[in-house]
Amino acid sequence: MNTFLQYIKRFALGTYYGLRQYFVQYFLFSIMAWMFMWDLGKFNMLGFALALCFFTYTMLFYWFKTFAQRLHISLQIIIPYIIYAIAVYLSIVSDNDWNFKIVTFDYYMRLGLLMPFCSLAIIGIEQAVKTLLPEKLKRIVSIVWNVLTIALMALYAIAIVRLFFI
């Protein structure tokens, strides 16, 4: 029973870390869209698909990392990517009525398959910051990071509530 509770705790922490990373990635993506004046209104479905790609790979990465801690870091990156790539391919094939012959390696598939590298870059930046900072500053950054995560989750929850209920 104790082992089961430890796995539940690991899964919950992996989910929290994945959500935290996703919200930071989405926040940075929104800032880039604002800076480069991308009209996300025209590309609403593309923006949603990119956000879904960020979310899917980030959560797969953190969940896999939670339960496969003893594996080498390259395997912790590659195995979730393979699962993600298969899911992207099958999603595109299902959109084409499961006709494998007409699915090509087009712009949207390349974009979907390259999105995890953006996620990994942001995860890598976070890890580099954690290793380079002194211990006292790490605690401050950790507190700020957690407060930012909770604030972003609250803002997104308010936006979703306003979208559906108001």
Side-chain angles (χ1 to χ4, degrees), residues 30-51:
S30 300
I31 289 173
M32 284 178 29
W34 176 74
M35 284 176 50
F36 295 121
M37 291 184 246
W38 295 336
D39 187 7
L40 294 179
K42 286 183 180 178
F43 304 106
N44 201 6
M45 287 307 291
L46 180 60
F48 177 73
L50 292 178

Side-chain angles (χ1 to χ4, degrees), residues 9 28 43 56 58 76 86 105 108-109 113-114 116-118 126 134 141 151:
K9 179 182 174 184
L28 292 175
F43 304 106
T56 304
T58 302
Q76 290 178 357
I86 290 170
F105 194 67
Y108 296 108
M109 187 178 288
L113 292 176
L114 291 176
F117 295 108
C118 295
E126 179 190 4
V141 168

Side-chain angles (χ1 to χ4, degrees), residues 68-103:
Q69 294 173 347
R70 298 188 192 272
L71 285 179
H72 192 269
I73 188 66
S74 61
L75 290 175
Q76 290 178 357
I77 292 170
I78 292 170
I79 293 173
Y81 182 78
I82 291 170
I83 295 168
Y84 168 82
I86 290 170
V88 166
Y89 179 74
L90 291 177
S91 171
I92 292 172
V93 169
S94 72
D95 287 343
N96 290 309
D97 295 325
W98 296 100
N99 189 352
F100 288 88
K101 292 179 184 176
I102 63 171
V103 175

